[in-house]
Amino acid sequence: MEERTLGFLDPSNAVFLRWDFDFEAEIITFELQVRTAGWVGLGVTDRYSRAGSDLVVGGVSPDGNVYFSDQHLVDENTLEEDGSQDAELQGLTEDAVYTTMRFSRPFRSCDPHDQDITSDTVRVLAAYGLDDTPKMDRERTFVKSIFLLQIVHPDDLDAPEDTIIHDLEITDFLIPEDDTTYACTFLPLPIVSKKHHIYKFEPKLVQHKETIVHHILVYACGNASALPTGISDCYGADPAFSLCTQVIVGWAVGGTSYQFPDDVGISIGTPLDPQWIRLEIHYSNFHNLPGLYDSSGIRVYYTAHLRKFDMGVLQLGVFTFPIHFIPPGAESFMSYGLCKTEKFEEMNGAPVPDIQVFGYLLHTHLAGRAIQAVQYRNGTQLRVICKDDAYDFNLQETRDLPYRVVIKPGDELLVECRYQTLDRDSLTFGGPSTINEMCLIFFFYYPRNNVSSCQGYPDIIYVAHELGEEVSDSMEGMMAMSNVEWTPESIKKVEKACKEAQQTVIIKTIDELVENTTGWIQDINPTPRGPCLESSGGKVEPQDKTPAGFRAAPIVLSRASSATLRCLPLAALLFGQGALSWLLATLQSGI
């Protein structure tokens, strides 16, 4: 096991988490190390309440005896032992400094008190005490959103010896005293005499007293584009600062660096490659702080050691403005954006090979609760490509698929976003501000083509008519949404109308060509859950379709057979240091 550590704010309160998993056996192994001589606990919770959280608790008593138990929180403060013990202890030690607990558990046990480990964002709960009486204490309880099921450790990826570093950054930019600012500037890519590949990128952030930089995007520019100079509002009075729409790398709050799989890279240095990019930085200065200067950007790593494939990025989802809206007071509201690939070849100007998707970045704003991308072929749902039913705005990172997904010409791609607006009393519109909304997924794929985005939006005139509003154009349709009295019934009615309405699909290329087509939203078949893992005293949940569907417990990972454990200093990050997400590459080839 290779140990990795980060700096932390308060060493006396450091809580370190390491983990690894067996994807086929569906077993995950955790190692929790806490600077205490008391009890320690690790489990899973949700975004709304600690009640119902699961927590595996252990420690070494003063007489040297080990105690270990699979428990759950009855309420915010009360622990109770599970009737089914689904965690298996692999080691529990205490020395002069640390208590270290290592255990394994199934991704999904049959105990309803155990939260599932899924490919969603998982809110990991860690807690500890100063003695051996397990009792919850807010000052020693931490929650961190983590994407646990990453397939490959970043150290398994190649780091070329001839690596060159190049920074794409804004310089001494005075951040306006506004809630939201989109600052754009145009910068040259590295000038090289022959083809190179960018194989890694990471944010280059200037530290401020609070999180100011919300996201950074790098867009490739067509070589025929006439580009402005200086720094200006990306979507303001000068439309030239919104030129270039093909994203090549992207970072958002909560993410860190990302390294592409060993066989793909962003090509630079050939006549077909972009020479310039648009750097877009979204600042959220909600406290209107004055005098803040920023020089943030993206650092790219490139090499002359070429990879097999040139990669591209395809932006999917709901066309952000002006049609996208979400009613206030919604417990749940779905938005849909359709992409039809049938025009890709025509717009690319050459045959488009099968698109091989290996990674993705999900993006909504504060009201987003879940997001997924679904693939259809010949009118039939093929698969859910990626999803996160526990989306966390503060953890937006590039993630790898467990296998490469093939998108063929003619396939349809549907992005669905679920929002919650119980805390809002007015309409939320699609737009750039953090208090506006977006519904986007960026697919990282190869081989590269010229299509940069493919997004959809519903026929708002149809939607308004379904709500009894008489309108004659899209602008009136959007204005009519402000006349609606929003109740649970009207919210469901407009959600249904938006799904049933014909979608306009807007497809763009790197050279700013735009084509429209139309289509219809198909139903999404839910992904069936697999059988739960056999456990002592566990019961099958009502939603499990096969009551006899227990799986025999596989052999758990041993200390000797375990691969490199992922490592995260939990408390340190919760106290405000940058989050660390381990970077993956995809190993398997898809269907």
Side-chain angles (χ1 to χ4, degrees):
M1 176 179 63
E2 295 181 34
E3 294 186 5
R4 307 176 193 281
T5 60
L6 288 178
F8 47 82
L9 184 63
D10 184 356
S12 65
N13 284 322
V15 177
F16 289 88
L17 174 64
R18 303 176 180 91
W19 75 95
D20 197 12
F21 55 89
D22 185 325
F23 207 76
E24 292 185 1
E26 298 188 6
I27 292 286
I28 190 165
T29 299
F30 293 107
E31 184 175 281
L32 182 70
Q33 186 179 70
V34 186
R35 190 184 293 269
T36 184
W39 69 275
V40 300
L42 184 76
V44 178
T45 187
D46 65 28
R47 73 185 301 150
Y48 301 109
S49 172
R50 301 290 170 267
S53 305
D54 68 48
L55 196 70
V56 175
V57 173
V60 181
S61 60
D63 61 7
N65 289 321
V66 168
Y67 56 93
F68 178 78
S69 177
D70 185 2
Q71 304 195 19
H72 63 277
L73 281 163
V74 178
D75 53 38
E76 295 281 335
N77 302 306
T78 307
L79 281 166
E80 183 177 282
E81 187 169 87
D82 292 0
S84 172
Q85 294 294 298
D86 300 283
E88 180 162 336
L89 180 63
Q90 296 188 10
L92 222 169
T93 60
E94 181 184 303
D95 57 25
V97 182
Y98 296 107
T99 294
T100 303
M101 177 174 68
R102 180 184 172 92
F103 68 93
S104 62
R105 57 151 289 181
F107 289 0
R108 177 172 177 248
S109 78
C110 299
D111 183 354
H113 290 305
D114 289 343
Q115 302 281 342
D116 292 352
I117 303 292
T118 68
S119 58
D120 301 328
T121 296
V122 176
R123 286 165 176 81
V124 174
L125 172 68
Y128 73 96
L130 301 181
D131 57 30
D132 289 294
T133 302
K135 183 179 180 181
M136 301 302 290
D137 181 341
R138 286 183 179 271
E139 293 184 0
R140 299 184 182 90
T141 302
F142 313 103
V143 176
K144 182 66 186 176
S145 290
I146 308 173
F147 180 55
L148 289 173
L149 299 186
Q150 306 213 49
I151 309 302
V152 179
H153 195 280
D155 282 1
D156 294 332
L157 300 173
D158 288 341
E161 293 181 359
D162 64 342
T163 294
I164 308 169
I165 294 173
H166 183 80
D167 291 334
L168 301 166
E169 60 188 4
I170 206 162
T171 304
D172 294 328
F173 175 66
L174 178 61
I175 302 172
E177 297 173 38
D178 298 325
D179 290 354
T180 298
T181 299
Y182 275 72
C184 276
T185 191
F186 294 87
L187 301 169
L189 283 167
I191 299 173
V192 290
S193 59
K194 62 179 182 178
K195 181 171 180 172
H196 286 63
H197 268 141
I198 296 173
Y199 71 89
K200 178 182 177 180
F201 67 87
E202 63 188 18
K204 187 180 180 187
L205 302 174
V206 174
Q207 296 301 315
H208 301 286
K209 290 183 179 179
E210 57 184 72
T211 301
I212 298 291
V213 179
H214 170 269
H215 78 240
I216 306 174
L217 291 174
V218 176
Y219 299 87
C221 295
N223 293 331
S225 303
L227 305 175
T229 59
I231 304 171
S232 187
D233 186 344
C234 304
Y235 307 105
D238 187 349
F241 278 88
S242 63
L243 289 172
C244 312
T245 58
Q246 186 173 58
V247 174
I248 54 174
V249 299
W251 171 89
V253 61
T256 55
S257 60
Y258 180 74
Q259 185 166 331
F260 303 122
D262 290 340
D263 56 350
V264 300
I266 298 171
S267 179
I268 57 173
T270 81
L272 296 177
D273 296 329
Q275 299 173 16
W276 286 75
I277 60 93
R278 172 164 65 97
L279 179 70
E280 172 185 297
I281 303 182
H282 175 188
Y283 296 100
S284 293
N285 188 5
F286 283 127
H287 292 102
N288 309 121
L289 301 175
L292 294 180
Y293 285 87
D294 189 66
S295 297
S296 294
I298 293 287
R299 170 167 288 176
V300 297
Y301 295 73
Y302 65 99
T303 174
H305 186 72
L306 297 181
R307 279 121 189 272
K308 186 176 181 180
F309 300 108
D310 296 339
M311 61 153 287
V313 180
L314 177 63
Q315 180 176 322
L316 306 168
V318 179
F319 198 75
T320 300
F321 185 81
I323 301 300
H324 193 199
F325 71 93
I326 299 129
E331 173 69 38
S332 173
F333 184 83
M334 301 293 194
S335 292
Y336 300 91
L338 179 65
C339 169
K340 299 182 72 172
T341 66
E342 59 191 25
K343 282 183 172 285
F344 278 20
E345 186 165 306
E346 172 190 338
M347 297 192 67
N348 188 54
V352 175
D354 290 350
I355 294 172
Q356 310 269 347
V357 182
F358 62 85
Y360 61 96
L361 174 67
L362 311 175
H363 185 66
T364 79
H365 289 172
L366 294 171
R369 295 294 180 268
I371 182 170
Q372 65 176 330
V374 185
Q375 180 182 14
Y376 300 87
R377 184 172 297 159
N378 300 323
T380 301
Q381 180 175 322
L382 201 58
R383 61 170 65 86
V384 174
I385 296 176
C386 59
K387 73 178 185 67
D388 193 338
D389 286 334
Y391 177 82
D392 187 342
F393 171 80
N394 293 306
L395 183 65
Q396 299 185 52
E397 56 188 353
T398 304
R399 298 175 175 178
D400 293 275
L401 292 169
Y403 56 88
R404 299 187 180 183
V405 170
V406 177
I407 298 171
K408 291 184 174 294
D411 286 358
E412 294 189 4
L413 304 169
L414 177 64
V415 174
E416 177 194 72
C417 289
R418 178 166 58 84
Y419 300 97
Q420 186 183 83
T421 56
L422 292 173
D423 59 343
R424 304 189 183 192
D425 55 13
S426 60
L427 281 166
T428 299
F429 293 103
S433 170
T434 305
I435 58 173
N436 296 137
E437 266 307 332
M438 291 185 174
C439 176
L440 301 174
I441 295 181
F442 299 90
F443 275 173
F444 291 70
Y445 73 92
Y446 66 88
R448 178 185 67 185
N449 61 59
N450 289 327
V451 178
S452 59
S453 67
C454 182
Q455 299 168 274
Y457 64 88
D459 178 357
I460 192 64
I461 298 175
Y462 171 85
V463 173
H465 288 169
E466 288 297 294
L467 291 174
E469 300 286 337
E470 291 299 323
V471 300
S472 57
D473 59 35
S474 295
M475 184 63 69
E476 287 184 3
M478 285 301 293
M479 293 175 63
M481 295 302 106
S482 299
N483 301 330
V484 177
E485 180 181 350
W486 294 110
T487 64
E489 291 73 24
S490 61
I491 290 170
K492 286 301 175 187
K493 189 172 184 178
V494 76
E495 180 185 69
K496 181 174 182 288
C498 286
K499 185 178 180 182
E500 292 176 347
Q502 187 179 59
Q503 285 251 326
T504 296
V505 180
I506 301 177
I507 307 167
K508 293 185 179 181
T509 71
I510 187 174
D511 295 313
E512 308 296 331
L513 296 176
V514 180
E515 287 278 354
N516 291 356
T517 185
T518 58
W520 303 91
I521 301 300
Q522 300 184 60
D523 288 335
I524 298 174
N525 300 319
T527 304
R529 301 200 306 170
C532 53
L533 185 67
E534 182 180 9
S535 55
S536 59
K539 294 182 179 179
V540 178
E541 299 176 48
Q543 60 266 44
D544 296 327
K545 295 182 178 180
T546 53
F550 294 115
R551 295 185 294 108
I555 299 173
V556 298
L557 298 176
S558 68
R559 188 178 295 270
S561 66
S562 175
T564 302
L565 292 185
R566 285 77 172 158
C567 169
L568 190 65
L570 204 64
L573 303 186
L574 286 163
F575 284 120
Q577 293 200 324
L580 172 65
S581 60
W582 295 118
L583 312 173
L584 311 175
T586 310
L587 291 181
Q588 298 172 280
S589 58
I591 297 172

